[in-house]
Amino acid sequence: MVSQIISAVGVMVVGVFVCALYYWLSDKILQVIFPTPSGDIQRASRNLNRRAVVRPWLFLGPALLLLGVYLVYPVIATFILSFYDRTGSVFVGLSNYRWALQDAGFRQSIFNNFLWLLVVPAACTFLGLVIAVLTDRIWWGSIAKSLVFMPMAISFVGASVIWKFIYEYRGAGETQIGLLNAIVTFFGGDPEVWIAMPFWNNFFLMVILIWIQTGFAMVILSAALRGIPEETIEAAVIDGANGWQIFWKIMVPQIWGTIAVVWTTITILVLKVFDIVLTMTNGQWDTMVLANLMFDWMFRGGGDSGRSAVIALVIMAAVTPIMIWNIRQANRETGGH
């Protein structure tokens, strides 16, 4: 444990040092290539302009290189791989795509992802907005916000382990250590294996992500609410609007762009959800989602790189348009800067 911490700290220190050294050396090289002699003002001015043009690309160079190596190349390689068999050596054309359309497990994963998309972004955004509004009206609002935001600091796997104890099941007549079954049996009900109940278990898993991401939505929306001009609210009060009308007709329309960004950001996260399902059910009992299905086809049962590549492309095709829209919306919110 200690050696891992030392290694992590060492990597961070060395990484920061190397980055700083690269930027310093790059700037020095620019000064050598494009000097600014004091005796030649015209040449100095021309070289300063050249430095200004070259410097951003020089500084962005490593990032663009890494982006190409770790994003562009894998996308192209994955697309090519989707036309090959499980070993990646025999060309099979569109066979993997036909399999995806006909496979019951793939359709079940699509359905489950659709459920997650319907519930999680809406619930996180709604709860985050409600909490942001309510906590601004109470003196201990900062404490409440801290408590709601706290799950954001927990990894998906850690949060899943916490909720696994909440859903824990023991046989009838035994002491229930799971909070939910303890409450059910206290009121005379029978304990249930909650995460093994087909269809409904998807919602029990969604609760975990909602619990984690509501804090994110709350913080962003709370900041947006604070940016609403007080004059508009005061004018609405003078006109006789009640609290409900002020909220829906004055406040929400003014932060609609931020709500949309929060919604789409959580939507992208939901499309890539993996850890929670793997930790809680491992995709059993009809809880499989696309990311877990891709993992299973790639690394289990001997592996099938062709089929897993098709699933990866489906996930990417679903995420990309939302991500592009999100970036454009964010640029529009900041005036294009």
Side-chain angles (χ1 to χ4, degrees), residues 194-232:
W194 303 104
I195 61 174
M197 299 170 61
F199 182 72
W200 298 109
N201 50 8
N202 285 289
F203 295 97
F204 293 127
L205 300 187
M206 293 176 202
V207 169
I208 303 172
L209 189 54
I210 293 170
W211 180 64
I212 296 172
Q213 288 298 311
T214 296
F216 162 77
M218 175 201 66
V219 169
I220 303 300
L221 295 173
S222 179
L225 288 170
R226 290 178 182 275
I228 296 176
E230 289 290 337
E231 294 81 3
T232 59

Side-chain angles (χ1 to χ4, degrees), residues 88-163:
S89 57
V90 179
F91 183 80
V92 295
L94 297 175
S95 295
N96 292 323
Y97 292 90
R98 284 196 293 269
W99 162 82
L101 294 174
Q102 298 169 1
D103 184 68
F106 181 81
R107 292 196 297 270
Q108 180 67 50
S109 299
I110 291 284
F111 175 75
N112 289 341
N113 267 105
F114 182 69
L115 280 181
W116 281 73
L117 287 173
L118 281 179
V119 175
V120 175
C124 290
T125 306
F126 175 76
L127 291 174
L129 181 58
V130 170
I131 294 170
V133 172
L134 295 179
T135 51
D136 280 340
R137 300 184 178 185
I138 53 179
W139 66 268
W140 50 279
S142 298
I143 299 174
K145 286 181 180 179
S146 299
L147 294 175
V148 174
F149 187 76
M150 199 174 292
M152 279 287 295
I154 306 174
S155 69
F156 285 1
V157 173
S160 299
V161 171
I162 292 171
W163 280 86

Side-chain angles (χ1 to χ4, degrees), residues 218-261:
M218 175 201 66
V219 169
I220 303 300
L221 295 173
S222 179
L225 288 170
R226 290 178 182 275
I228 296 176
E230 289 290 337
E231 294 81 3
T232 59
I233 298 176
E234 291 172 359
V237 172
I238 292 172
D239 289 339
N242 57 37
W244 188 256
Q245 291 171 326
I246 291 173
F247 177 72
W248 287 109
K249 296 184 179 181
I250 304 298
M251 300 173 71
V252 170
Q254 294 191 68
I255 63 168
W256 182 250
T258 305
I259 292 174
V261 169

